[in-house]
Amino acid sequence: MKFTVKKGDLTTVPCDALVVGVHAKSKSLPKQISALDRKLGGAITGALAFDDFSGDASQIVWLDKGRTKAKRVLVVGLGPEKDLTMATLRSAAGTALKAAQKAGLRKVALAMADSDDVEARASAVAEGGGLAMYDPAMHKSNSRSRPVTQVTIVTDAEPATVRSGLARGQALAAGTNLARDLVNEPANMLTPTDMAAVAKQMATDHATLKCKVWGPREIEKNKMGGIIGVGRGSAEPSQFIQLEYKPKGKVSSLRKIAFVGKGLTFDTGGISIKPAAGMELMKFDMGGAAAVLGAFKILALLEPKVHVLGYIASAENMPDGKAIKPGDLLTMMSGLTVEVNNTDAEGRLVLADALHYAKQQKPEFIVDAATLTGACMIALGDVACGLMSEDDKLVALIEDASRACDEPVWRLPLQDKHRKKMEGHVADLKNTGPREGGALTAAGFLSRFAEGARWAHLDIAGTVWNEEPEAIAPKGATGYGARLFAAIAEQVANGHR
Ligand code: BES
Ligand code: MN
Ligand code: ZN
């Protein structure tokens, strides 16, 4: 989908669909739209006069073209003006473009009035539009549906400002849609090796990105006992993917941070095998890794002034004659020993090594994202991810980032008590605690490998997947975490401590 910006008159733009936003309960239409209303013979004020269109957020109504150069006119509600948020704009833009697509209209013109925050609004429109056009039907034999190809923003604002907003929104959508693609991809189509190839390709595509991958030999050489143990039952070789983002040019005193992602391309549970019903969803167990890759895409496109390291521990958790068994002992990269009471608590095992490795690179802080526990999903549902950290300042930074990008987080407690429950019988640690507070003891386990570093953990088990389609998120992978990671990096670039 291509965006262009045009100054001038709405009524003279040739297009398939002319989209205008209208606020609810507004006494008069803004200048740009009242001129259009006259050319439509008062159709917009007419629609508002009846009860079936009130201008409520994301309500739509199609109108006849009147004396315009459009084929059809689409009015989309923006809700009351005083309540307007960027979230409302994203959804309204997405709803409008989807309606145009459904009607078979490819070339859209979209009205945007000048405002103090027109750059942010342009960003929201491009982000919402880009997210709404996402189609998960990647493997349907009649290919993907034909999306809207061209969006012309018709505005009286400074075109350069609008363009810069659009570029930002497109970058956010591109990174999120990349994460969605990776998560929706079936596990036989996206193995750890495939995920490494995606990372390497990204580094080829963007001069600001570097990528290094460790295969089984290097993982073995570096004694990453967690990753080795989890991958042992699989025919697919495990991969430890290392990414680095640095903006172009010499920027002095860049702050350095690290992101870590759980990249289980499939989680059967291993010998502690999961029930058959719903197991197919466990292709999403690389959602944390997808968030890291999506974020690096966004970073490469937006180029914030911050140095970011990314680590993905990727493996497939399978039952096999070679697989680890309940009770087995693993010696992790950090030297800590772990009794594997349950082979289905594998995420924390691969993350332990990735966190330890990340820590050795001495970043200012580490944030990991992982589809780690069903318990977190039960606690928070699909609305917010669980945020666990003992570092109040880092929590504040992540909460600010979360508000900036509208990916919600909810803090859960992480205390010494949770760590205590993970003490092993014959080893330093065991990998499962009691059923109660399962998300918190998982974080307690991880904290033993992040010790000494500033660190926060995001359990995205509930937010990675969407059962009910929404305006800008179809059923399936949400791409959650890509924008949050990118927003965290931007907070650092903007001087947040
Ligand atoms: N990938 C799962 C977590 C998960 C389960 C996410 C269901 C979303 C939905 C993880 O590897 C896992 O199996 N966790 C276990 C841990 C338990 C054995 C302590 C869980 O949550 O049941
Ligand atoms: Mn598991
Ligand atoms: Zn898992």
Side-chain angles (χ1 to χ4, degrees), residues 8-11 18-24 26-48 53 55 61 63 65 67-68 73-79 81 89 109-114 121 154-156:
D9 188 356
L10 277 179
T11 62
L18 173 59
V19 175
V20 293
V22 167
H23 285 291
S26 50
K27 291 199 189 71
S28 63
L29 295 173
K31 201 170 73 218
Q32 203 189 17
I33 296 173
S34 66
L36 170 68
D37 191 38
R38 278 195 296 278
K39 289 256 173 142
L40 299 173
I44 298 177
T45 37
L48 281 163
F53 184 78
V61 63
L63 301 177
K65 63 189 283 252
R67 288 177 289 129
T68 69
V73 176
L74 177 61
V75 185
V76 58
L78 298 174
E81 192 162 10
L89 263 186
L110 196 146
M112 188 177 291
D114 196 5
R121 290 184 186 211
V154 187
T155 185
D156 47 4

Side-chain angles (χ1 to χ4, degrees), residues 332 336-339 345 347-352 355 414 418-419 422 429-432 440-450 455:
M332 315 299 266
L336 285 174
T337 53
V338 178
E339 289 167 54
R348 60 199 75 183
L349 299 174
V350 302
L351 285 172
L355 287 172
L414 167 55
H418 302 116
R419 254 185 303 274
M422 302 306 286
L429 289 160
K430 56 185 179 184
N431 77 331
T432 58
L440 319 175
T441 46
F445 178 93
L446 292 180
S447 73
R448 294 295 307 273
F449 299 89
W455 162 74

Side-chain angles (χ1 to χ4, degrees), residues 267 274 344-346:
D267 178 14
K274 287 179 182 296
D344 198 10
E346 85 298 338

Side-chain angles (χ1 to χ4, degrees), residues 262 264 266-270 272 274 282 285 317 342-348 371-372:
K262 169 178 173 182
L264 265 288
F266 199 77
D267 178 14
T268 64
S272 314
K274 287 179 182 296
M282 280 304 132
D285 214 16
N317 189 18
N342 188 321
T343 65
D344 198 10
E346 85 298 338
R348 60 199 75 183
T371 48
L372 203 63

Side-chain angles (χ1 to χ4, degrees), residues 5-7 112-115 118 154-162:
V5 181
K6 216 179 140 175
K7 266 206 149 168
M112 188 177 291
D114 196 5
S115 64
V118 71
V154 187
T155 185
D156 47 4
E158 175 56 40
T161 311
V162 176

Side-chain angles (χ1 to χ4, degrees), residues 43-63 75-77:
I44 298 177
T45 37
L48 281 163
F50 293 98
D51 288 348
D52 56 345
F53 184 78
S54 59
D56 282 350
S58 288
Q59 232 188 6
I60 53 166
V61 63
W62 284 102
L63 301 177
V75 185
V76 58

